[in-house]
Amino acid sequence: MTKSQELFSRAVRLIPGGVNSPVRAFGAVGGQPRFIQKAEGARICDVDGQSYLDYIGSWGPMILGHNHPAVYEAVVKAAENGLSFGAATEREVEMAELICQMVPSIEMVRMVNSGTEAVMSAVRAARGFTGRDKIIKFEGCYHGHSDAMLVKAGSGVMTGGQPGSAGVPSACVQDTLSAVYNDLSSVDHLIQQHQGKIAAIIVEPVGANMGVVPPKEGFLQGLRQRCTKEGILLIFDEVITGFRLGPAGAQGLFDVTPDITTFGKIIGAGMPVGAYGGRREIMECVSPCGKVYQAGTLSGNPVAMAAGLAQLRILQSTPQIYEKLNSLGEQLFEGMRRLVKQYQAPYTVNSIGSLGCLFFTPSSVQNYEDAQRSDTAAYGVYFRFMLENGIYLAPAQFEAMFLSHAHTREDIDFTLESANRFFARTVGNLGEK
Ligand SMILES: Cc1ncc(COP(=O)(O)O)c(C=O)c1O
């Protein structure tokens, strides 16, 4: 028995599913989770001494690579002065200044502890500001696990949400409307049906929780126009795209200005952090300035702020980082596309910058329904093959691959060679594996 197996057998007795977040379990791909002991650069190492090339990067925040010296030093230095005060600190001001500088749509910002909290608070602020209750989200977009966001959208447009989890009362999701990603007519339909009642449209500007699904040309601009016309607030959930697709995130890349933006883990460089911010008049509704209540004992935690500031300052001052990330992304995802073509494999590669994924479906993926056509069992075979070859991918088809500045061209070559071997062995006879 490996040490990971032994730990897992102890974990399942005491922790639901043996993990503290469902996607960490290998339920969707088969096998048992590896327990990770340490990480450095682009590699993680498990408790059995196996080293893997990591394409998760803690689901995004390790954009500079694991254990970056500047982040590490900032954390150690901050910890020397105490771990938490529950009172205002200088670093929180520096963090707010930096975020507002890097993302021009943000005039005021509030720190929280996770992406879930950021979205939950942003939606509350939008409702408080507009005096309206309903929100539109898109099928396949994940915005954390607050009640109102856990709507299992049916196919097509729904007029009222259905809870996607036990324990969520239907009253909590009755104001959550679902539209189809990349389909403005589904949004128009909802706006018409609920005229004057919609507080906000929330969207991942690049879908990254149904696999990677970039917006079609004009989709984000179309949302902006509709929101402006109807007095609806546009919320970009940039938990994945923020500070990754560029210093100003997806909104900078696509040149579309949201009213509110939510951020998550990347601001903490691996520490538990989230934030929401936007136009001053909206953010001034938040307590103690305004009547929208929102609070947090550990919000703006001094150690987390130190880590995040160190990472964001590097990202701000070194534009070459984004050039390298994009060039690695091109090498990897173009390489995958070449393999798909060469083997005439029934797969599709979607990507943007340093984010991408291989869908096990031959048809183009532009929304949740398209993504659902993927052969998830085949993904499981692929995942296990790559893991055995020392490559750690997301243990689920509907997740992104994340590149970091610590990956090298040789790492990408190695990954493509492994994928090549997988394609050579399995294309055409996946059913037999
Ligand atoms: C787009 C998006 N929003 C919100 C969240 C929730 O963030 P957290 O897991 O920090 O609560 C996630 C998590 O990955 C996410 O991808």
Side-chain angles (χ1 to χ4, degrees):
M1 198 189 242
T2 65
K3 181 107 195 276
S4 277
Q5 286 166 338
E6 189 232 311
L7 285 171
F8 190 58
S9 68
R10 279 165 58 197
V12 285
R13 276 187 255 134
L14 300 171
I15 307 172
V19 288
N20 280 313
S21 192
V23 79
R24 291 179 205 168
F26 280 19
V29 288
Q32 288 192 354
R34 304 296 188 268
F35 282 66
I36 304 306
Q37 187 171 51
K38 57 183 181 182
E40 188 76 35
R43 303 196 76 84
I44 51 174
C45 188
D46 70 15
V47 287
D48 293 294
Q50 288 287 331
S51 165
Y52 305 90
L53 190 52
D54 179 26
Y55 283 106
I56 300 184
S58 190
W59 305 97
M62 313 320 292
I63 190 165
L64 298 177
H66 291 283
N67 215 8
H68 189 280
V71 176
Y72 174 80
E73 272 165 36
V75 167
V76 171
K77 209 163 154 217
E80 280 169 4
N81 288 331
L83 299 185
S84 175
F85 317 123
T89 63
E90 185 173 357
R91 284 198 199 92
E92 292 166 86
V93 185
E94 291 174 347
M95 177 60 94
E97 285 166 351
L98 188 55
I99 292 175
C100 293
Q101 256 174 36
M102 291 178 79
V103 187
S105 74
I106 299 185
E107 293 171 343
M108 286 186 111
V109 62
R110 171 59 68 78
M111 301 307 298
V112 292
N113 301 289
S114 69
T116 295
E117 234 188 286
V119 169
M120 184 180 74
S121 313
V123 166
R124 189 180 302 145
R127 285 173 162 158
F129 178 76
T130 58
R132 302 172 178 181
D133 287 344
K134 297 202 180 289
I135 49 169
I136 296 179
K137 79 176 276 291
F138 292 88
E139 260 181 86
C141 283
Y142 178 66
H143 300 294
H145 65 92
S146 65
D147 283 353
M149 291 296 132
L150 284 181
V151 172
K152 183 175 179 0
S155 65
V157 179
M158 294 178 67
T159 50
Q162 295 294 313
S165 160
V168 177
S170 46
C172 287
V173 293
Q174 72 186 14
D175 289 320
T176 306
L177 310 168
S178 268
V180 178
Y181 197 79
N182 272 330
D183 178 356
L184 288 170
S185 69
S186 72
V187 177
D188 287 336
H189 181 73
L190 289 173
I191 293 177
Q192 242 172 32
Q193 257 186 321
H194 301 276
Q195 200 77 44
K197 297 198 174 125
I198 299 169
I201 296 180
I202 182 163
V203 66
E204 285 184 70
V206 172
N209 285 285
M210 46 180 154
V212 173
V213 181
K216 276 205 249 184
E217 184 143 10
F219 176 61
L220 298 174
Q221 289 80 355
L223 293 180
R224 180 63 274 174
Q225 281 158 7
R226 282 156 179 79
C227 284
T228 304
K229 179 158 170 268
E230 303 290 336
I232 297 171
L233 298 186
L234 180 60
I235 306 176
F236 273 8
D237 181 349
E238 296 231 38
V239 165
I240 299 296
T241 51
F243 305 105
R244 171 164 286 277
L245 296 187
Q251 55 195 270
L253 188 66
F254 294 108
D255 198 18
V256 177
T257 306
D259 300 295
I260 307 181
T261 304
T262 56
F263 294 113
K265 41 209 159 191
I266 198 162
I267 295 189
M271 303 291 283
V273 175
Y276 67 107
R279 273 176 24 220
R280 178 174 302 280
E281 55 178 335
I282 302 168
M283 293 307 289
E284 281 180 344
C285 288
V286 175
S287 57
C289 277
K291 291 190 172 152
V292 174
Y293 192 70
Q294 186 269 310
T297 302
L298 294 176
S299 297
N301 172 273
V303 184
M305 292 300 96
L309 276 171
Q311 173 150 290
L312 291 187
R313 281 181 179 138
I314 292 173
L315 291 174
Q316 185 192 35
S317 62
T318 330
Q320 303 87 296
I321 289 179
Y322 291 105
E323 282 163 29
K324 180 177 169 193
L325 283 167
N326 290 342
S327 136
L328 289 173
E330 196 176 311
Q331 188 194 349
L332 177 61
F333 300 118
E334 283 307 319
M336 298 293 280
R337 284 189 188 100
R338 269 198 302 279
L339 289 177
V340 168
K341 205 163 163 201
Q342 178 189 335
Y343 287 95
Q344 298 188 337
Y347 311 147
T348 302
V349 180
N350 275 11
S351 68
I352 179 162
S354 58
L355 285 173
C357 79
L358 175 66
F359 283 108
F360 281 70
T361 173
S363 44
S364 108
V365 179
Q366 299 190 347
N367 59 38
Y368 179 68
E369 211 176 296
D370 295 341
Q372 287 292 102
R373 280 192 267 272
S374 302
D375 180 346
T376 51
Y379 181 84
V381 176
Y382 171 62
F383 169 84
R384 293 195 300 275
F385 178 90
M386 296 299 266
L387 193 69
E388 271 165 33
N389 282 271
I391 295 166
Y392 196 88
L393 303 174
Q397 163 76 90
F398 305 115
E399 302 290 350
M401 288 175 85
F402 296 87
L403 285 158
S404 80
H405 188 250
H407 284 88
T408 63
R409 297 193 78 78
E410 292 71 35
D411 290 335
I412 307 291
D413 284 340
F414 173 73
T415 307
L416 289 170
E417 279 158 25
S418 303
N420 186 23
R421 281 204 303 283
F422 170 79
F423 277 56
R425 273 193 212 175
T426 58
V427 171
N429 62 353
L430 274 169
E432 295 161 28
K433 286 252 142 192

